[in-house]
Amino acid sequence: MTDRAPAAPALFGFVGRSGAGKTTLILDVVACLRRDGFAVSAIKRAHDGFDLDRPGKDSWRFREAGCREVMMVGDRRWALLHENADAPEPDPLALARRMAHVDVVLFEGFRSAPIPLIEVFRPSLGRPMLWPTCPSVVAVAADGAVDCPLPVLALGAPEAVAQFVLDRVGLRAK
């Protein structure tokens, strides 16, 4: 038995325009990684003003009264709500350090995070790709042909996307 701290989790992200299918792909990749024996967590970048709480609930009332953090605990889960107030959005890597140890943390959004990213892209949406202005994008997952110098993965092949993630972060199936 050793007193060594566990290795830091592998960090990998997914970015793309709204409606491209980021969440669906991440859910499928999580299922693949779990089947391969990996413990996985996720951090999703939400639009400003999101709330997990409802007005009138006790936890909402605590926050409205000025609590900086409110933890909600139940038999099956707990959640910690932290108010940023006027502080800037926390660094995504600092957020990952606050989470319980897992093998892989997957990020959704966070275009400027200094981690490898896959852009989820649907040519049929007619919107420009992000990779030319997003230097951390290392591959594109698309549902059609794209003109791109990066590796292009099939959006409908989550097993291949999961394997790309594992290869990129240096993990092998357990």
Side-chain angles (χ1 to χ4, degrees):
M1 189 165 164
T2 70
D3 290 331
R4 278 190 332 203
L11 307 177
F12 202 97
F14 294 80
V15 296
R17 307 277 180 193
S18 178
K22 297 178 298 293
T23 301
T24 300
L25 178 58
I26 293 169
L27 291 171
D28 291 342
V29 168
V30 167
C32 293
L33 295 174
R34 295 287 300 133
R35 270 195 305 271
D36 285 342
F38 292 100
V40 184
S41 289
I43 299 177
K44 179 178 173 62
R45 168 78 174 77
H47 297 287
D48 290 337
F50 84 96
D51 206 340
L52 300 176
D53 224 348
R54 291 191 313 255
K57 290 298 210 175
D58 291 346
S59 51
W60 180 87
R61 292 171 59 209
F62 288 141
R63 288 177 37 231
E64 287 297 304
C67 289
R68 187 169 183 189
E69 290 187 329
V70 175
M71 184 178 287
M72 296 179 289
V73 180
D75 294 341
R76 301 182 70 185
R77 69 187 54 90
W78 62 269
L80 176 63
L81 299 175
H82 178 91
E83 295 297 314
N84 282 338
D86 294 328
E89 178 179 294
D91 173 72
L93 303 181
L95 293 172
R97 286 191 293 272
R98 290 184 64 122
M99 298 182 80
H101 180 74
V102 293
D103 299 306
V104 181
V105 177
L106 298 178
F107 290 79
E108 181 178 336
F110 298 99
R111 294 178 189 174
S112 62
I115 60 173
L117 303 170
I118 289 177
E119 178 176 354
V120 179
F121 182 70
R122 292 186 185 271
S124 61
L125 294 178
R127 297 188 218 149
M129 297 184 78
L130 298 173
W131 71 264
T133 60
C134 192
S136 293
V137 173
V138 297
V140 174
D143 66 349
V146 296
D147 183 20
C148 173
L150 301 173
V152 177
L153 309 164
L155 189 54
E159 298 85 4
V161 174
Q163 189 59 56
F164 181 90
V165 169
L166 291 174
D167 291 345
R168 182 66 192 213
V169 300
L171 291 176
R172 293 193 177 145
K174 294 184 172 193

